[in-house]
Amino acid sequence: MHEEVTINEAKTIAQGMEKTLAGLVPAEQVASIDQNPTGALMSCSKVGEYLWSGQTKVKLNPGVTYDGEAVTQKIASEYNGRDSYTTETDLTPDGQPSAHVLGGNGEGYLVALSVDETFVQILSFSPCFVLTEDVSPSRPY
């Protein structure tokens, strides 16, 4: 855990990685990349520590065949062992390839095709940080 990380820095880290991962979907398949401007705070394992959780959707062009295996393998080759990252690949409950990128400082990112197969969903979980007492964890950030 990096206690020096603020809520804004944590959000910036997570959203930056969301954009980077979105860029690994082949450009010719992408209709748009829509990043949620706000996210939610979630408790970390220690009392008083939180993480910022957000989402980016990579909307696919209609009729495109998304190669989830190729994208998850590209993510794994880019991040497994790089800058304290590890990557786990698996299948979603509906059988689609997924990637889970874990950072050495507690951050995590999940990348998988949506159930309706119209977008690639990237969920982010920032590094943990200490929330100052003047900030409510129940409002969106």
Side-chain angles (χ1 to χ4, degrees):
M1 207 234 25
H2 297 280
E3 289 187 38
E4 69 275 4
V5 175
T6 67
I7 186 172
N8 290 331
E9 290 167 337
K11 179 178 178 178
T12 298
I13 290 167
Q15 286 187 317
M17 184 66 146
E18 288 175 21
K19 287 181 182 177
T20 299
L21 292 169
L24 296 178
V25 177
E28 65 274 7
Q29 297 181 358
V30 178
S32 66
I33 296 175
D34 303 320
Q35 186 173 61
N36 286 4
T38 60
L41 297 183
M42 300 170 62
S43 293
C44 287
S45 57
K46 290 186 179 178
V47 174
E49 292 181 359
Y50 289 84
L51 61 81
W52 183 89
S53 178
Q55 174 180 228
T56 291
K57 291 181 179 179
V58 181
K59 292 185 181 171
L60 300 171
N61 285 316
V64 93
T65 301
Y66 172 73
D67 187 350
E69 183 66 29
V71 172
T72 57
Q73 289 307 313
K74 188 172 185 178
I75 291 169
S77 68
E78 289 273 330
Y79 286 98
N80 206 23
R82 176 180 150 203
D83 298 331
S84 300
Y85 287 108
T86 60
T87 305
E88 299 170 2
T89 58
D90 203 352
L91 296 176
T92 63
D94 57 343
Q96 293 293 331
S98 67
H100 188 188
V101 180
L102 300 165
N105 58 358
E107 65 192 294
Y109 306 90
L110 296 169
V111 182
L113 185 63
S114 63
V115 174
D116 68 4
E117 300 184 2
T118 61
F119 63 91
V120 177
Q121 183 174 41
I122 303 167
L123 301 175
S124 66
F125 305 91
S126 78
C128 292
F129 55 89
V130 175
L131 193 63
T132 57
E133 291 187 24
D134 62 331
V135 178
S136 169
S138 62
R139 64 175 270 249
Y141 291 92

